[in-house]
Amino acid sequence: MRASRVTESQLDVAAFLLRASAEAEEPHGWMIMKGTKRSGPTVYGILDRFEDRGWIKGCWEEQDPVSSKPRRRFYRVTSEGATGMRELLASRRSATLRDHASRRTATSAGSRSAIMPGGAR
Amino acid sequence: MSILGVAAGILSALAVNEACDVSPWAARKIVGWSARLRYADTQRAASRDEELAALIDARPGKLFKLITALAFAAAAIRVRTGQIAAGITVRNLRIVGGRSSAAAVAAIVSVVLAAGLILISVPIPEANMGVSGSVAHVMDGRDPMVRDCTADAMTTESSPVFEPPGHLAGMLQLRTSSHCGASWGRFVPAAKMHANRPLLLNIDVYRPSDHAAARFRIFDDGLSAYGNMLADGSGCVYAAITIATGKAKPESVRTHCATASSASY
């Protein structure tokens, strides 16, 4: 069985990409950074992983050939990615909600146990 | 105010203005260098080089462009130094350094500045490290998948985990990568654990030689889960798991202590 590890940042990026996909938008890196309020290296590390899994596909901005400006890259969620991201969010976001509920229970029972933020796997 | 004070004020204002004008240029150089440093895959490096240059262009604010670029440099350095420390290669650094004098200057500047940024705790990815101990190793507390340590990983040790008592819940494995010189714990469930609320798994690794520990907590959802790493070059490492079930004192299961050299390939 292959172990997977999911961070809160990954969930944020997945949620953002799914929302964009639902609105037929193909965001570029800077839009994803702004939308998720995550740093550039974090976002691009996640985009690397999603691309490796085949969850997203990048396509270059069409540009005037004489332009010397660097091209932006837009990301589209693949059908496989949409399924994977939805499953990921369904399982992990609901787990996060359960985390909060159980943390309150633990506190009221006098436990000092603290859960690390962004419970990743 | 003396004439010298006025002159110093004017000069520093000019210097700041110049620095601001140079910032976008430097930022583009730094992100390009960062992309080449971070990605061993030359195609992806070239793609990210252009993409990050576009991102820097889109980023408003001259100094913000530079700060963003330095964050990319810090992340790339962190990834690369982790690999170098594991004894993989320094060849890529030399190639990058030899490409052009501008890139070399950008590299040196960004190394110094990025080190400063790290020291003042600018947020960088791969949080949730949870390390304690007297000796810091580059791999300590890191995510093995982020550090590309899983490709050659072997299960060095394993121990059965029973929850509830008498019911095999899964196996605790000590995974070891000789490529990274580090080990981490992984819990592979045998069957879904019966509980009316989520169970909290504490997957920790310990290095007795210097009392270092890397802890990781995650709620069980029936999938295998792994924790963070500890370098095993300076002493053996063992994994331990505690399943918090609401009992006052949950039982802990641990593996034997092992190093990469003791792995059975």
Side-chain angles (χ1 to χ4, degrees):
Chain A
M1 187 185 299
R2 187 180 169 180
S4 62
R5 184 164 176 143
V6 179
T7 61
E8 277 297 312
S9 322
Q10 276 181 289
L11 296 177
D12 287 346
V13 172
F16 180 86
L17 289 171
L18 278 179
R19 269 200 308 275
S21 176
E23 291 164 14
E25 280 183 6
E26 293 183 2
H28 52 78
W30 171 241
M31 278 173 73
I32 301 169
M33 282 171 63
K34 273 205 304 184
T36 57
K37 295 186 169 57
R38 297 287 179 178
S39 73
T42 302
V43 166
Y44 275 92
I46 294 165
L47 293 179
D48 288 341
R49 286 196 205 182
F50 285 178
E51 264 191 320
D52 292 341
R53 286 182 202 168
W55 283 13
I56 55 170
K57 210 162 173 56
C59 61
W60 288 106
E61 177 181 25
E62 285 180 18
Q63 208 175 47
D64 187 343
V66 295
S67 171
S68 61
K69 280 181 68 176
R71 291 170 301 165
R72 292 179 296 182
R73 201 146 185 260
F74 298 101
Y75 291 95
R76 177 174 55 81
V77 178
T78 62
S79 55
E80 189 190 341
T83 309
M85 287 180 201
R86 277 194 204 103
E87 282 174 2
L88 191 70
L89 287 165
S91 61
R92 309 298 169 138
R93 287 292 193 207
S94 56
T96 305
L97 294 174
R98 290 199 304 271
D99 290 359
H100 288 295
S102 69
R103 193 172 348 192
R104 280 196 295 274
T105 308
T107 305
S108 63
S111 167
R112 305 294 293 174
S113 171
I115 300 160
M116 287 186 176
R121 178 169 290 242
Chain B
M1 189 183 288
S2 68
I3 294 171
L4 269 178
V6 173
I10 292 169
L11 284 175
S12 56
L14 286 171
V16 168
N17 187 43
E18 283 299 313
C20 285
D21 286 342
V22 169
S23 292
W25 172 84
R28 278 177 69 158
K29 291 286 177 194
I30 290 169
V31 288
W33 173 79
S34 305
R36 291 193 297 275
L37 181 68
R38 178 165 181 160
Y39 300 104
D41 176 352
T42 50
Q43 204 173 353
R44 178 168 268 178
S47 165
R48 289 284 187 251
D49 182 348
E50 182 170 3
E51 188 179 358
L52 295 182
L55 184 144
I56 290 297
D57 279 1
R59 184 99 171 81
K62 290 174 182 174
L63 282 176
F64 281 128
K65 288 180 196 292
L66 188 59
I67 290 166
T68 303
L70 287 172
F72 277 106
I77 290 164
R78 206 166 47 81
V79 169
R80 183 55 69 186
T81 50
Q83 290 172 351
I84 290 169
I88 299 164
T89 177
V90 292
R91 198 183 312 148
N92 286 346
L93 270 180
R94 289 188 185 134
I95 290 167
V96 169
R99 273 186 184 151
S100 69
S101 58
V105 170
I108 293 162
V109 168
S110 56
V111 165
V112 172
L113 292 174
L117 279 176
I118 291 167
L119 284 173
I120 60 170
S121 302
V122 164
I124 52 175
E126 203 183 335
N128 209 359
M129 292 189 283
V131 186
S132 61
S134 55
V135 181
H137 293 268
V138 172
M139 289 296 170
D140 286 0
R142 303 295 180 183
D143 177 339
M145 200 168 280
V146 169
R147 289 299 174 124
D148 293 330
C149 298
T150 53
D152 74 326
M154 302 291 290
T155 299
T156 324
E157 296 287 339
S158 64
S159 300
V161 180
F162 295 96
E163 178 55 44
H167 175 82
L168 180 67
M171 297 296 291
L172 172 66
Q173 300 175 335
L174 181 69
R175 302 281 290 167
T176 300
S177 164
S178 52
H179 164 81
C180 293
S183 299
W184 62 95
R186 181 168 75 169
F187 176 65
V188 181
K192 186 155 176 61
M193 284 180 276
H194 299 289
N196 53 12
R197 67 180 186 83
L199 298 174
L200 182 63
L201 308 178
N202 296 270
I203 305 172
D204 306 327
V205 277
Y206 298 91
R207 187 171 55 228
S209 60
D210 64 348
H211 309 291
R215 297 185 175 85
F216 193 79
R217 292 177 180 187
I218 181 71
F219 279 99
D220 169 64
D221 61 2
L223 299 172
S224 65
Y226 64 92
N228 289 323
M229 298 190 286
L230 278 182
D232 58 17
S234 61
C236 71
V237 169
Y238 68 87
I241 187 168
T242 307
I243 301 176
T245 57
K247 291 177 194 168
K249 195 175 178 184
E251 285 179 30
S252 180
V253 173
R254 56 160 286 187
T255 65
H256 291 292
C257 206
T259 60
S261 58
S262 62
S264 49
Y265 290 95

